[in-house]
Amino acid sequence: MNVIGLTGGVGAGKSLVLSILKTKYNAQVIEADKVAHELMMPGEEGYLRVKETFGETILNSDGTINRAALGKVIFENESAREQVNSIIHPLVWKRIRQKISASQAGLIVVEFAIMGEEAEDIYNEMWYVRASEEVRIRRLSENRGYTKERSEQIIRSQASELEYVRRCDRIIENDGSVEDLENQLAEILKTGDR
C-alpha cells in the first residue's frame, strides 16, 4: 500500500490531481475536509463535542450544526477557532488513519489544505501541488467567482510556498495543461520510482 499526502494552496489544482489519480490509477481518495464534515454530523464525536462546547445556539431546528452560525463564532473569536480546531483536527486524523487501515487499495491519496505535523507519519510521501499566484487567481475567478482581492487574501492566509516545499517530498507543477499534469503523474508513478 502506497499512501500519499497531497497538499497545496487554494486554486493550485489539487482536485484535478485527485481526479486523475482516482480515474487513471484507481487511487482511493480521502479528503480531510470531507472527513471533518462527516465528524460534524449528528451523533458523531466531533458534533457532540462541538455542541457541548458551544451549546444549542449553533444548531439548526433539525439538530444539525448551523455552519453559518458556527463560522460566525469562530471567525469573530480566535480562541473559539482554536477550540474547534483542537476538537476536530485530532479526530480527523484519527478517522483518516482508520480509513487507511481498513482500505484494500494499493494507492491511497490523502488530500488536505492545512499544513500540520500531526499526521506526517502516515504517508510514504507528501506531494505539493504548485501553481503560480497568477494562475491560481485566474482559476479562483473562473471557478469560484472570487475577486482578485479575495483570492489574494485567501492565498496570503495559507502556508507559504517555502513551508510547503520544506515539508513535501515532491512538487507537482500545475501551471500547464492537463496533459502536462498527467505526464508528470505518470512519470512519478512508474514502477520503481516510488
Side-chain angles (χ1 to χ4, degrees):
M1 179 185 296
N2 189 16
V3 182
I4 294 166
L6 185 78
T7 192
V10 65
K14 295 185 301 291
S15 296
L16 179 57
V17 172
L18 289 176
S19 174
I20 293 167
L21 292 171
K22 191 174 185 176
T23 56
K24 289 197 171 225
Y25 300 95
N26 207 25
Q28 177 183 344
V29 171
I30 302 171
E31 296 175 66
D33 274 355
K34 287 187 179 172
V35 172
H37 283 275
E38 287 171 19
L39 289 164
M40 296 293 268
M41 300 302 286
E44 289 280 353
E45 189 176 356
Y47 170 90
L48 297 171
R49 291 183 52 198
V50 167
K51 179 181 159 190
E52 182 183 304
T53 303
F54 296 99
E56 305 280 325
T57 59
I58 59 151
L59 299 181
N60 292 312
S61 58
D62 65 358
T64 59
I65 289 181
N66 180 325
R67 294 196 180 280
L70 181 59
K72 188 171 177 3
V73 170
I74 65 176
F75 287 112
E76 291 176 358
N77 181 333
E78 182 65 31
S79 88
R81 179 172 39 242
E82 287 170 7
Q83 273 185 295
V84 170
N85 288 344
S86 71
I87 292 168
I88 296 301
H89 288 178
L91 294 175
V92 166
W93 293 112
K94 179 181 171 189
R95 178 71 54 89
I96 288 172
R97 288 173 197 278
Q98 290 167 346
K99 287 177 180 271
I100 290 168
S101 293
S103 179
Q104 299 298 312
L107 177 61
I108 299 173
V109 183
V110 179
E111 183 272 328
F112 55 95
I114 298 170
M115 293 298 290
E117 295 177 6
E118 61 271 274
E120 289 184 357
D121 62 322
I122 67 173
Y123 311 116
N124 299 104
E125 284 192 338
M126 192 169 330
W127 296 1
Y128 166 45
V129 181
R130 177 167 64 188
S132 69
E133 188 170 310
E134 180 184 313
V135 167
R136 292 167 66 190
I137 289 169
R138 188 188 75 233
R139 286 178 184 152
L140 290 170
S141 170
E142 290 170 359
N143 300 334
R144 300 186 193 179
Y146 290 178
T147 63
K148 184 175 192 281
E149 294 72 29
R150 169 120 195 246
S151 297
E152 288 171 344
Q153 182 182 23
I154 295 168
I155 289 169
R156 305 260 177 284
S157 74
Q158 295 186 321
S160 70
E161 177 149 328
L162 191 63
E163 177 75 359
Y164 282 118
V165 170
R166 184 180 71 79
R167 305 268 290 280
C168 294
D169 302 296
R170 292 189 187 271
I171 298 171
I172 311 297
E173 297 291 351
N174 192 20
D175 273 341
S177 67
V178 173
E179 186 181 8
D180 291 340
L181 186 59
E182 288 176 341
N183 290 339
Q184 275 183 82
L185 294 173
E187 192 63 35
I188 292 167
L189 291 169
K190 269 185 188 169
T191 310
D193 187 21
R194 290 192 182 177

